[in-house]
Amino acid sequence: MSFASDTAVTPRSPGAFDAEIRPGWDIAGNTNGGVLLSTAARAILATAEQPHPISITAHYLRPGHVGPISIGTEVVKRGRQFATVRAELHQDDKPILAVLATCGDLATQEGGRYIDAHPPELPNFDSLDGKTSAESAAAAFRASVDSRLHPDDAGYVEGRPSGTPLMRGWFALPQDEPIDAIGLLLASDAFPPTIFNLLEPPAWSPTLELTVHVRAAPAPGPLRCRFSTSFRHGGLYEVDGQLWDSSDTLVALSRQIALEPKGTPFTTP
Amino acid sequence: MSFASDTAVTPRSPGAFDAEIRPGWDIAGNTNGGVLLSTAARAILATAEQPHPISITAHYLRPGHVGPISIGTEVVKRGRQFATVRAELHQDDKPILAVLATCGDLATQEGGRYIDAHPPELPNFDSLDGKTSAESAAAAFRASVDSRLHPDDAGYVEGRPSGTPLMRGWFALPQDEPIDAIGLLLASDAFPPTIFNLLEPPAWSPTLELTVHVRAAPAPGPLRCRFSTSFRHGGLYEVDGQLWDSSDTLVALSRQIALEPKGTPFTTP
């Protein structure tokens, strides 16, 4: 198994694709949102005939689970530089994800430069053990990706939330699988919710919507990621993500809005 | 004229609405993106049968101009708490805006509180003159809204960009028209592009995509707004917006991704 093969799509008819949610990508039985988005994005890029999702937004309608899915795509506008495509992902004859994306070729864009942020400072990749930052509900998912949390942000696993809604860490794929533009979509939703550092015990926190701007094709190597929340109020919180590659380039910006956990807490082993 | 009447929609058939782009909302002949989004949002909320666009994303396909438009909407999922609706706005038989939104009632959500930001510090509303911060290309639009830039961010109008991609200011509607959840969508795209403080002369900077999270219905009074850019590279830049109401509540978060200006500079009077 690999991320690429587990999120592959098969064309069925013009604009329509079949795919399958494989085991190992769920958190407490619900498919990770980044995997759903990545699968939808492969169908979208095929329809767009463009290499990169420059801005992609997904609204999460129902949880996904292991089994077959179908993806319908439609070109909204095909322009000279960009193609805008919408998609709907169905499982058990119900829509589970609605997506809208503008795709293009990042290599053709150019302009000035202004950067006022920097990658998060993290302990060396090899010095961290990904396993220690996995609450049991996410154990299967944490074996499918190689994410390694900053120790300062991982205390929630043992019932010691830091009090700051921040999750920093490395993101890689097992067996040195390269991270491409679609891997950035997975990474954008691959870390524990920031809110796990504000409350306990952890429980399912439903994402309503996730938008990712892919800003550059990543250089080889693990990503350094930073996810933070500035506004938790009214039952909602946003998660702002920065993904940096090994050349210190900001390769993706993500933001999601999620509902506070209200359901059954994840069990701790 | 008022913002509410100029962005009103008329139901034509189930899910389909007619509207009209009125004079006074353009920048160098192209309709402001917030006005297009606000008009689409009125149709979306009517179809959703919900009061608030909790997360709304628009992809800008073609510039709009004064004249009739039509809006098609479709419910993707109607749930117990939320309704997800997609919409397409057409002018001259072509799609100009594609929208995806999840709507609900913010008053029914509740939870904990964590805020680590504060409203921008601005000179008193009455001490600022909105007119002095309007480059000529935006003169018509700046008469339709009452936005008042922080003087430190307004030098670009006279050829003195600050060097920092930041635009802070007050936002109000003329004649004390109240700002509701849809007014927040207008405000999210009502300030000059942050990049005007990095280059000159100003020119049209096309928005590819704009997402707004409406986090609370605003208390009466002008909004304090802060728009900033952290990542300008590869021909693209994002604009992050925070909108605060008179009770110091963060009422909306916005983010757009835009292309660097490449066309004819705006003329200066």
Side-chain angles (χ1 to χ4, degrees):
Chain A
M1 85 165 232
S2 69
F3 168 64
S5 63
D6 281 5
T7 56
V9 299
T10 307
R12 177 168 26 95
S13 59
F17 300 81
D18 292 318
E20 188 157 346
I21 299 175
R22 307 279 178 183
W25 295 104
D26 69 288
I27 292 162
N30 294 334
T31 309
N32 167 264
V35 172
L36 295 178
L37 179 58
S38 298
T39 308
R42 293 199 194 277
I44 286 170
L45 291 178
T47 296
E49 300 174 356
Q50 290 282 2
H52 304 125
I54 294 179
S55 173
I56 185 165
T57 290
H59 288 245
Y60 291 86
L61 310 172
R62 291 178 179 85
H65 56 79
V66 171
I69 54 177
S70 64
I71 306 163
T73 65
E74 193 180 349
V75 175
V76 182
K77 184 199 167 192
R78 191 186 300 282
R80 192 171 47 84
Q81 286 192 82
F82 304 109
T84 301
V85 173
R86 67 166 160 246
E88 220 168 273
L89 200 153
H90 284 75
Q91 188 168 49
D92 306 330
D93 293 325
K94 287 180 182 158
I96 65 172
L97 194 71
V99 190
L100 186 58
T102 291
C103 308
D105 186 349
L106 287 165
T108 66
Q109 301 296 323
E110 54 185 27
R113 186 174 172 86
Y114 176 96
I115 309 284
D116 84 344
H118 49 79
E121 286 182 28
L122 300 173
N124 195 280
F125 182 81
D126 292 319
S127 74
L128 296 176
D129 175 359
K131 298 288 182 296
T132 60
S133 57
E135 69 275 20
S136 60
F141 179 70
R142 300 262 165 258
S144 300
V145 299
D146 186 356
S147 61
R148 305 186 180 192
L149 272 183
H150 193 301
D152 292 353
D153 303 337
Y156 80 93
V157 178
E158 280 145 6
R160 296 190 313 274
S162 69
T164 302
L166 179 66
M167 292 283 177
R168 294 159 296 176
W170 293 96
F171 177 87
L173 292 170
Q175 271 115 36
D176 292 325
E177 182 177 350
I179 300 168
D180 62 4
I182 295 191
L184 297 177
L185 306 183
L186 175 66
S188 294
D189 196 40
F191 283 76
T194 53
I195 204 166
F196 284 6
N197 268 324
L198 283 186
L199 48 81
E200 62 127 3
W204 180 258
S205 179
T207 299
L208 290 181
E209 174 266 327
L210 167 63
T211 293
V212 184
H213 297 170
V214 174
R215 297 292 296 268
L223 304 173
R224 283 157 294 168
C225 305
R226 181 185 195 279
F227 296 91
S228 62
T229 294
S230 293
F231 304 101
R232 175 197 186 193
H233 63 103
L236 298 158
Y237 66 103
E238 90 291 353
V239 179
D240 272 327
Q242 297 179 359
L243 283 62
W244 299 81
D245 74 4
S246 58
S247 74
D248 286 357
T249 298
L250 185 282
V251 288
L253 268 188
S254 72
R255 176 178 284 166
Q256 66 168 263
I257 185 157
L259 289 172
E260 296 220 345
K262 281 177 191 161
T264 317
F266 294 157
T267 51
T268 312
Chain B
M1 89 171 230
S2 69
F3 168 65
S5 63
D6 281 5
T7 56
V9 298
T10 307
R12 179 168 22 98
S13 59
F17 300 81
D18 292 318
E20 187 156 345
I21 299 175
R22 307 280 179 183
W25 296 102
D26 69 288
I27 292 163
N30 294 335
T31 309
N32 167 263
V35 172
L36 295 178
L37 179 58
S38 299
T39 308
R42 292 198 194 279
I44 286 169
L45 291 178
T47 295
E49 299 173 359
Q50 290 282 2
H52 303 125
I54 294 178
S55 174
I56 184 165
T57 289
H59 287 244
Y60 291 86
L61 310 172
R62 291 177 180 88
H65 56 79
V66 171
I69 53 177
S70 65
I71 306 162
T73 64
E74 194 179 350
V75 175
V76 182
K77 183 199 168 193
R78 191 186 300 282
R80 193 172 45 84
Q81 285 193 81
F82 304 111
T84 300
V85 173
R86 67 166 160 245
E88 219 168 272
L89 199 152
H90 284 74
Q91 188 168 48
D92 305 331
D93 293 325
K94 288 180 182 159
I96 65 172
L97 194 71
V99 190
L100 187 57
T102 291
C103 308
D105 186 348
L106 286 165
T108 65
Q109 302 296 321
E110 54 186 25
R113 187 174 173 86
Y114 176 95
I115 310 282
D116 84 342
H118 50 79
E121 287 183 26
L122 300 173
N124 195 280
F125 182 80
D126 292 319
S127 73
L128 296 175
D129 174 0
K131 298 288 182 297
T132 62
S133 58
E135 71 273 21
S136 61
F141 178 70
R142 298 265 165 258
S144 298
V145 299
D146 187 358
S147 62
R148 304 186 180 192
L149 273 184
H150 193 301
D152 292 354
D153 302 337
Y156 81 92
V157 178
E158 280 145 5
R160 297 190 312 273
S162 69
T164 303
L166 180 66
M167 292 283 176
R168 294 160 297 176
W170 293 95
F171 177 86
L173 291 170
Q175 270 117 34
D176 292 326
E177 182 177 351
I179 300 168
D180 62 5
I182 295 193
L184 297 177
L185 307 183
L186 175 66
S188 294
D189 196 40
F191 283 76
T194 52
I195 204 168
F196 285 5
N197 269 325
L198 283 185
L199 49 80
E200 61 125 8
W204 179 258
S205 180
T207 299
L208 290 182
E209 174 266 325
L210 167 64
T211 294
V212 184
H213 298 170
V214 173
R215 298 292 296 268
L223 304 172
R224 282 158 295 168
C225 304
R226 181 186 195 279
F227 296 91
S228 62
T229 294
S230 293
F231 303 101
R232 175 197 186 192
H233 64 103
L236 298 158
Y237 67 104
E238 90 290 353
V239 179
D240 272 328
Q242 297 180 358
L243 282 63
W244 299 81
D245 74 3
S246 57
S247 75
D248 286 357
T249 298
L250 186 282
V251 288
L253 268 187
S254 72
R255 177 177 284 168
Q256 65 169 265
I257 185 158
L259 289 173
E260 296 222 346
K262 280 179 190 159
T264 318
F266 294 156
T267 51
T268 312

